Amino acid sequence: MKKNSGFTNNEEAITRCRDSFEHQQVLYKRTLMIIMIAQIFGGAGLAAGITVGALLAQDMLGTDSFSGMPVALFTLGSAGAALFVGRLSQRYGRRIGLSAGFLIGGIGAMGTVAAAVSNSIILLFFSLLIYGAGTATNLQTRYAGTDLAKPSQRATAVSFAMVSTTFGAVAGPNLVDVMGIFAESIGIPPLGGPFILAFAAYTLAGIVIFIFMRPDPYMVARALSTPLKTKDGGFATEVITSSERNKRGIFLGATVMILTQIVMVAVMTMTPVHMGHHGHGLSAIGLIIGIHIGAMYLPSLVTGVLVDKVGRMPMVLASALTLLASGILAAMAPTDSILILAIALALLGLGWNFGLISGTAILVDSTDPATRAKTQGTVDVFVALSGAAGGVLSGVIVAFSSYPTLSIGGGIISLVLIPAMIWFLVVSKQTGKNKGVS
């Protein structure tokens, strides 16, 4: 029998995967390939907007106090989109949920271009909310890779989805000048150029998911999780672990992702503004943000292996310490030193990477396949809201204090991960229900 991936529909895939674990692995690998292609485009769409969003608001509003608003708005928009994509995926599968999210994000990107042309603040804010759907979808795509993965493959599956984002995410900021020149040549303000790229990138990501993600990995995984009686009267699937332990795991996974998101978004948002105040041009800003986003995604393959092999908890600790080091270095960096700031932003991205992958793995470990997509969407709502809060507060903190204060504060906040991790381990040990989470 050929070991091909020619599944024609969900029903056939479910039947074949029940009959042979080998077929499940074939579909798992095929799903990862589709995700990786889509994430290349998704990463470009995400990074282009992040690079110039604060600068566009600063230019249109004429003040720094609200320069954190763009990241806050599209992060806030991503909160609603995370819930929408999660619920849509729960009901109709990853294919429908993810493709819809990317396409909506593309519409928001084009609305932002229109706002730049018309100099409309209202349209800018509304479009950035919609643009946030792309951000939410870009993150939720990582879950699709875990649907058919074995427990020992889950973090590695997340890492494959994330590392492919690197190609687009690094290219996006470094195309700022090129897209600015292109935009200006067709009568659009230069800062609107990167959002033209975001529109094309998100739209292509949505098309790839919609056309090629068949059969749907979540629908197949959910069906496979339904217990089937074996010949001896037992059940073929593993028993779901304690609901109390699951709740603690969901809480810890969410806490790790939320805190790392707050710190990362806050410092990242104000870095372009901080650099602009000290005479650095768009190309230098694009380089720094490109390095930062590369560090967010490029180490993922190594991180995924470490989370699966070394354990979830050691990598949570590594996340906290790396973010602390980033905050200290960013605060101490001389204003004319691109090198030191680049290292600080690289550490910021790396700490976020450690936190997101370990937190995602803890969350997947602690959820029932029957309700997993909905739970993941709900958790990502809080992750997005935390990013929105970080974006808003970052501008206010820098306006009334300084960028070094913001950086140091972020490093201190990251240390909250340590007592959260200790609490989980102690309570799990006391109840004797900490099996399967290391």
Side-chain angles (χ1 to χ4, degrees):
M1 181 172 59
K2 288 176 67 179
K3 191 186 81 171
N4 64 38
S5 59
F7 305 101
T8 58
N9 54 54
N10 291 342
E11 290 72 22
E12 180 190 354
I14 292 166
T15 300
R16 293 173 65 180
C17 289
R18 282 197 193 281
D19 292 340
S20 170
F21 179 72
E22 184 181 13
H23 286 306
Q24 182 176 329
Q25 285 293 290
V26 169
L27 183 54
Y28 159 68
K29 292 175 183 178
R30 177 187 172 187
T31 300
L32 281 185
M33 185 61 65
I34 295 165
I35 289 169
M36 289 171 69
I37 294 170
Q39 287 293 81
I40 292 174
F41 296 120
L46 169 70
I50 287 174
T51 305
V52 300
L55 298 175
L56 181 60
Q58 182 188 36
D59 184 58
M60 293 176 68
L61 292 168
T63 177
D64 291 344
S65 297
F66 299 99
S67 53
M69 284 296 290
V71 171
L73 284 167
F74 69 68
T75 309
L76 184 61
S78 74
L83 187 63
F84 170 73
V85 172
R87 296 301 172 93
L88 205 59
S89 299
Q90 178 73 35
R91 184 166 184 177
Y92 299 106
R94 302 288 188 191
R95 172 176 165 263
I96 298 299
L98 296 177
S99 60
F102 275 129
L103 293 174
I104 292 170
I107 293 171
M110 188 49 66
T112 304
V113 174
V117 172
S118 62
N119 198 35
S120 170
I121 297 298
I122 294 175
L123 180 58
L124 173 67
F125 287 173
F126 179 71
S127 297
L128 286 171
L129 279 170
I130 300 174
Y131 174 73
T135 308
T137 310
N138 206 59
L139 270 179
Q140 288 224 6
T141 303
R142 76 193 189 277
Y143 292 125
T146 68
D147 287 331
L148 294 168
K150 298 183 293 185
S152 61
Q153 294 175 318
R154 285 169 179 164
T156 304
V158 173
S159 71
F160 271 104
M162 290 181 62
V163 76
S164 58
T165 310
T166 306
F167 299 103
V170 173
N174 287 290
L175 290 173
V176 165
D177 280 340
V178 175
M179 292 306 300
I181 293 170
F182 170 74
E184 201 166 22
S185 71
I186 58 175
I188 295 174
L191 291 176
F195 286 97
I196 298 176
L197 173 63
F199 163 73
Y202 278 155
T203 301
L204 285 171
I207 290 172
V208 167
I209 294 286
F210 185 78
I211 292 176
F212 296 106
M213 192 171 278
R214 304 168 186 255
D216 190 282
Y218 178 68
M219 302 304 280
V220 173
R222 190 168 69 179
L224 293 177
S225 71
T226 303
L228 288 179
K229 283 193 175 182
T230 59
K231 293 179 180 179
D232 60 2
F235 288 93
T237 54
E238 63 182 271
V239 178
I240 300 301
T241 54
S242 162
S243 61
E244 284 302 311
R245 195 197 104 197
N246 283 354
K247 289 177 183 178
R248 290 196 301 275
I250 291 170
F251 178 79
L252 178 63
T255 299
V256 172
M257 290 187 280
I258 286 169
L259 288 179
T260 53
Q261 185 79 355
I262 288 174
V263 174
M264 187 276 291
V265 171
V267 177
M268 175 199 68
T269 298
M270 294 312 298
T271 297
V273 176
H274 171 70
M275 293 179 68
H277 282 164
H278 293 91
H280 299 289
L282 276 179
S283 59
I285 293 171
L287 174 64
I288 294 295
I289 297 299
I291 290 171
H292 163 67
I293 296 178
M296 287 172 64
Y297 295 100
L298 190 58
S300 295
L301 286 179
V302 175
T303 303
V305 172
L306 289 173
V307 172
D308 278 336
K309 302 296 183 183
V310 176
R312 279 56 163 150
M313 301 308 156
M315 295 307 293
V316 171
L317 177 61
S319 174
L321 297 179
T322 303
L323 289 173
L324 176 63
S326 168
I328 294 172
L329 197 59
M332 295 176 59
T335 57
D336 61 344
S337 175
I338 294 292
L339 176 61
I340 296 178
L341 196 58
I343 295 172
L345 268 290
L347 289 173
L348 181 70
L350 184 62
W352 177 86
N353 177 273
F354 290 165
L356 186 73
I357 295 181
S358 58
T360 299
I362 293 169
L363 178 64
V364 176
D365 290 343
S366 305
T367 49
D368 181 342
T371 57
R372 182 168 288 159
K374 183 170 67 175
T375 302
Q376 290 164 341
T378 302
V379 169
D380 275 7
V381 169
F382 291 102
V383 174
L385 289 174
S386 68
V392 171
L393 292 174
S394 66
V396 176
I397 291 171
V398 171
F400 288 95
S401 183
S402 65
Y403 179 78
T405 299
L406 174 69
S407 302
I408 289 291
I412 293 172
I413 289 173
S414 68
L415 294 179
V416 176
L417 293 176
I418 297 175
M421 177 185 66
I422 293 172
W423 163 81
F424 176 83
L425 292 174
V426 169
V427 174
S428 295
K429 185 175 182 180
Q430 288 175 346
T431 58
K433 297 175 181 176
N434 62 335
K435 296 178 182 178
V437 180
S438 57

